[in-house]
């Protein structure tokens, strides 16, 4: 259990020094004026320091106040790092508080005579939560409530309306802050300024200067993903290198994906998935150092979106240990004249052999014939040589420069048309553009611009892949991971048919491996 979780655990439930339920009931019988109260603490964001100091401070202040009043705190409810203004956030301890108020006792059986909070907005920020809280609180008589305004009589006539007004004002102020924050965020993005609250991975604390070791790791990861590496491989590599996120956590699949898809890598900025653009519809370039080119960023994001149904989510499945598992198929001809054609699997070779693995057709119970076996090292080498030769031929063709995108003028015209439409609509002297005309035509132009931007990104990705193809194929092959090699092989080969080599210990014959090449179609 981490430090924060340990602190939160101690600040939740019955305090250690509280007597048993039976002893408390005896205390109440001796002193009917004694109040058993519960405390609720909440903080919206505990991500910066992650030590739960916010709720710890709240509970400490409430404990001191209860001592002055002579109240006994019998239970503490704590929702750490949870917003009260977002409907999607479930506050477990707040829901437990409402249930316990309605029941009249804590889960252990202590009576509840009152509630304490540092401020009412710790308990509720939305009208629905205020109404639910008030109903649960007033379900029993003579309870006390204390917050920053002192003792409050929640039973008083008109207090429900007063509370709703306070909630509305609090909600309005929250939305104003959110709106100001969004506007400020966008304005800084348009000026090309760094807007992240945390140091982005790859940059120093000033968020502008590159942290070279991290930047190099990102650059290599981008090139590897474009060449076919998986996000899982990059994640494993970064963990082995002991990289951590800017918030001090080990990298996971999703955090690696977020780093590689961040437009910041090439100097651009995105807000809600859209690039921030200037008046001429060109992406705004930030003030920070860049790690990759825009073409490389378009290429890597396109690659990641192609996987997992376009979500970039890991699809699971097996991580193969051997290069040709599932790619090789058995070519043994059965007695009835049919070909086995079953997928062969990689297996560990016996200890007395000079090679480490082989490929074997499955057993008959699994649908195979168990008749074909190939030693792994020489089989891998033979197929790799064939594939490298094929890739070298393809690279010579691909290396020809991709022509410039031929729809740049169309995009420029569409942007100018949209800007002119907006200008005429805002111009009071222009009477031919009314609201109905404006809102009928604007979506058409916006959709056209969005489609052209998508085509532009796809074209940039093609150019980046073409540049990658110009590299020395044989040299880059040696640097590929097993998964990258398998992906490259599957792009050019549908299968490798392995013909049986006859009985006995025969010399390895590469002629018994028949590649089935993929056609351009």
């Amino acid at each position: 259990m981490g430090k924060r979780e340990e602190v939160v655990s101690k600040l939740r439930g019955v305090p250690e020094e509280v007597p048993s339920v039976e002893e408390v009931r005896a205390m109440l019988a001796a002193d009917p004026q004694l109040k058993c109260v519960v405390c609720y603490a909440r903080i919206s964001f505990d991500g910066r320091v992650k030590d739960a100091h916010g709720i710890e401070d709240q509970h400490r202040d409430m404990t001191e106040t209860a001592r002055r009043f002579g109240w006994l705190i019998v239970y503490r409810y704590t929702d750490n790092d949870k917003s009260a203004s977002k409907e999607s956030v479930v506050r477990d301890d707040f829901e437990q508080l409402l249930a316990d108020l309605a029941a009249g006792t804590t889960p252990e059986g202590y009576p509840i005579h009152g509630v304490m909070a540092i401020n009412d907005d710790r308990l509720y920020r939305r009208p629905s939560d205020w109404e639910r809280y008030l109903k649960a609180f007033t379900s029993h008589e003579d309870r006390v409530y204390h917050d920053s305004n002192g003792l409050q009589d929640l039973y008083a006539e008109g207090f429900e309306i007063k509370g709703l007004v306070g909630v509305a004002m609090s909600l309005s102020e929250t939305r104003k802050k959110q709106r100001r924050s969004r506007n400020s965020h966008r304005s800084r993005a348009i000026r090309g300024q760094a807007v992240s609250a945390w140091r982005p991975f790859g940059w120093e604390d000033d968020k502008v200067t590159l942290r070279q070791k991290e930047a190099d790791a990102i650059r290599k990861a981008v090139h590897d993903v474009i060449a076919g590496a998986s996000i899982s491989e990059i994640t494993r590599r970064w963990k082995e290198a002991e990289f951590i996120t800017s918030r001090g956590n080990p990298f996971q699949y999703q955090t690696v994906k977020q780093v590689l898809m961040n437009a910041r890598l090439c100097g651009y900025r995105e807000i809600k998935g859209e690039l921030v653009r200037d008046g001429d519809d060109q992406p705004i370039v930030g003030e920070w150092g860049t790690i990759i080119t825009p073409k490389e960023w378009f290429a890597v994001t396109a690659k990641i979106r192609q996987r997992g149904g376009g979500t970039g989510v890991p699809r699971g499945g097996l991580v193969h240990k051997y290069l040709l598992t599932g790619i090789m198929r058995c070519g043994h001809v059965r007695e009835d004249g049919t070909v086995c054609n079953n997928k062969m699997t990689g297996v560990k070779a016996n200890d007395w052999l000079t090679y480490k693995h082989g490929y074997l057709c499955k057993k008959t119970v699994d649908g195979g014939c168990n008749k074909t076996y190939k030693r792994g090292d020489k089989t891998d080498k033979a197929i790799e040589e064939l594939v490298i030769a094929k890739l070298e031929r393809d690279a010579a063709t691909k290396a020809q420069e991709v022509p410039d995108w031929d729809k740049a003028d169309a995009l420029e015209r569409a942007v100018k048309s949209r800007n002119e439409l907006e200008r005429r609509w805002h111009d009071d002297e222009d009477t031919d553009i009314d609201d109905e005309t404006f809102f009928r035509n604007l979506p058409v132009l916006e959709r056209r611009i969005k489609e052209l931007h998508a085509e532009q990104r796809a074209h940039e990705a093609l150019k980046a892949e073409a540049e990658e193809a110009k590299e020395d194929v044989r040299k880059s092959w040696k640097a590929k991971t097993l998964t990258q090699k398998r992906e490259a092989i599957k792009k050019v080969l549908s299968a490798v048919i392995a013909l049986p080599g006859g009985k006995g210990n025969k010399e390895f014959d590469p002629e018994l491996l028949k590649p089935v090449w993929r056609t351009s179609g």
Side-chain angles (χ1 to χ4, degrees):
M1 182 183 293
K3 179 182 178 182
R4 178 169 69 169
E5 289 72 22
E6 187 177 347
V7 170
V8 173
S9 178
K10 288 181 178 179
L11 297 174
R12 181 177 281 147
V14 181
E16 293 179 357
E17 66 277 5
V18 174
S20 67
V21 175
E22 292 73 19
E23 290 173 319
V24 168
R25 293 194 181 278
M27 293 166 62
L28 289 169
D31 181 9
Q33 301 301 314
L34 177 65
K35 296 290 186 183
C36 296
V37 299
V38 296
C39 296
Y40 179 82
R42 180 189 65 81
I43 192 168
S44 298
F45 181 66
D46 186 36
R48 203 169 293 276
V49 182
K50 295 187 177 182
D51 60 358
H53 67 276
I55 57 168
E56 196 171 27
D57 293 344
Q58 292 180 36
H59 277 300
R60 182 174 58 250
D61 291 347
M62 287 186 285
T63 300
E64 181 60 33
T65 301
R67 187 178 294 112
R68 292 202 309 269
F69 280 100
W71 296 344
L72 178 65
I73 298 176
V74 295
Y75 204 87
R76 292 184 293 205
Y77 301 87
T78 301
D79 282 316
N80 189 50
D81 207 10
K82 289 191 176 183
S83 169
S85 56
K86 297 178 181 178
E87 293 186 24
S88 58
V89 175
V90 177
R91 293 184 288 150
D92 297 322
D93 272 32
F94 177 71
E95 297 299 329
Q96 183 66 50
L97 169 63
L98 297 186
D100 293 347
L101 284 173
T105 63
T106 69
E108 290 75 13
Y110 290 101
I112 302 177
H113 301 138
V115 177
M116 297 183 70
I118 287 296
N119 205 344
D120 56 359
D121 65 0
R122 299 300 90 197
L123 280 161
Y124 45 79
R125 276 185 174 271
R126 295 185 292 125
S128 58
D129 286 343
W130 156 245
E131 291 172 352
R132 293 167 61 217
Y133 170 70
L134 184 63
K135 180 179 179 181
F137 184 92
T138 57
S139 61
H140 293 261
E141 298 293 332
D142 299 326
R143 282 175 169 164
V144 295
Y145 172 69
H146 186 277
D147 61 18
S148 59
N149 294 315
L151 282 170
Q152 304 288 314
D153 184 4
L154 271 59
Y155 301 93
E157 186 176 351
F159 197 88
E160 182 175 3
I161 301 300
K162 180 182 177 182
L164 283 173
V165 171
V167 170
M169 292 177 64
S170 176
L171 191 60
S172 174
E173 185 60 29
T174 297
R175 287 174 177 167
K176 282 181 183 178
K177 289 180 180 178
Q178 291 173 343
R179 189 161 53 249
R180 286 196 297 267
S181 177
R182 285 196 302 268
N183 291 340
S184 173
H185 188 84
R186 183 167 186 83
S187 296
R188 290 169 64 195
I190 290 174
R191 291 195 299 271
Q193 296 177 333
V195 294
S196 55
W198 300 89
R199 176 188 76 82
F201 182 75
W203 284 266
E204 298 290 352
D205 292 333
D206 62 6
K207 305 169 190 173
V208 174
T209 309
L210 293 180
R211 182 169 290 189
Q212 207 56 53
K213 188 175 180 180
E214 294 179 357
D216 290 344
I218 292 172
R219 192 177 297 110
K220 177 170 173 50
V222 167
H223 291 161
D224 286 348
V225 170
I226 293 173
S230 68
I231 302 295
S232 298
E233 285 182 291
I234 306 301
T235 305
R236 184 166 58 252
R237 184 193 303 168
W238 285 8
K239 284 184 176 180
E240 289 172 355
E242 297 184 350
F243 284 125
I244 57 174
T245 68
S246 300
R247 301 190 184 191
N249 300 317
F251 271 103
Q252 304 297 328
Y253 181 96
Q254 289 296 336
T255 47
V256 171
K257 181 167 75 75
Q258 288 165 7
V259 168
L260 298 183
M261 295 187 73
N262 192 345
R264 180 180 232 277
L265 299 182
C266 68
Y268 293 167
R269 275 285 296 133
E270 278 188 305
I271 294 181
K272 294 185 177 179
E274 293 291 332
L275 290 177
V276 180
R277 298 175 181 272
D278 59 20
D280 295 324
D281 214 52
Q282 296 302 308
I284 291 174
V285 179
E287 61 185 3
W288 51 87
T290 60
I291 296 175
I292 58 175
T293 66
K295 281 189 292 187
E296 290 169 333
W297 179 73
F298 283 125
V300 74
T301 52
K303 278 285 184 183
I304 293 172
R305 289 188 178 114
Q306 287 170 6
R307 299 171 183 171
T311 63
V313 176
R315 291 171 291 180
L318 296 175
V319 177
H320 294 289
K321 292 172 62 178
Y322 305 112
L323 184 67
L324 298 172
T325 295
I327 298 173
M328 288 187 63
R329 289 182 175 271
C330 177
H332 171 69
V333 180
R334 296 189 177 100
E335 292 182 0
D336 60 2
T338 61
V339 178
C340 175
N341 200 36
N342 221 280
K343 289 184 178 180
M344 298 175 66
T345 56
V347 294
K348 186 178 181 297
N350 292 322
D351 294 337
W352 63 81
L353 295 172
T354 57
Y355 54 92
K356 302 296 184 182
H357 72 284
Y359 296 101
L360 178 67
C361 183
K362 295 178 181 178
K363 296 179 180 179
T364 53
V365 293
D366 296 323
C369 67
N370 201 33
K371 298 289 185 181
T372 305
Y373 177 86
K374 298 293 177 185
R375 65 177 290 173
D377 57 345
K378 292 190 176 182
T379 299
D380 290 349
K381 184 177 180 180
I383 297 303
E384 283 184 276
E385 285 296 328
L386 289 172
V387 171
I388 289 171
K390 167 69 171 170
L391 291 176
E392 285 177 333
R393 293 193 298 272
D394 291 347
T397 303
K398 284 184 179 180
Q400 297 180 7
E401 189 169 345
V402 176
D404 290 337
W405 189 50
D406 59 0
K407 294 185 180 179
D409 290 342
L411 176 58
E412 185 179 356
R413 288 195 301 272
V415 171
K416 285 182 177 179
S417 297
R418 181 194 60 189
N419 293 345
E420 177 63 15
L421 181 70
E422 290 178 339
R423 186 196 65 75
R424 293 171 63 190
W425 182 56
H426 286 297
D427 191 348
D428 294 335
E429 297 180 2
D430 205 323
T431 58
D432 63 332
I433 299 294
D434 55 18
D435 290 352
E436 191 276 332
T437 303
F438 175 75
F439 287 108
R440 185 179 70 249
N441 288 279
L442 183 63
V444 177
L445 290 170
E446 292 282 12
R447 185 165 57 252
R448 176 60 175 159
I449 292 170
K450 190 172 184 178
E451 290 171 352
L452 287 169
H453 277 314
E455 287 187 34
Q456 187 182 41
R457 287 195 298 271
H459 185 268
E460 292 290 346
L462 280 176
K463 291 185 74 173
E465 285 197 80
E467 289 184 3
E468 291 285 333
K470 294 179 184 177
E471 296 181 1
D472 186 324
V473 173
R474 189 171 295 274
K475 181 179 178 182
S476 63
W477 184 268
K478 293 179 181 178
K480 289 181 185 295
T481 63
L482 180 69
T483 301
Q484 286 176 299
K485 290 179 179 179
R486 283 179 55 82
E487 289 299 316
I489 290 171
K490 288 191 285 185
K491 282 183 179 180
V492 296
L493 285 175
S494 296
V496 176
I497 306 300
L499 302 177
K503 297 181 178 179
N505 187 17
K506 304 244 179 178
E507 285 291 322
F508 177 80
D509 185 0
E511 294 298 320
L512 295 177
L513 300 174
K514 303 297 181 183
V516 182
W517 301 102
R518 291 187 184 275
T519 63
S520 58

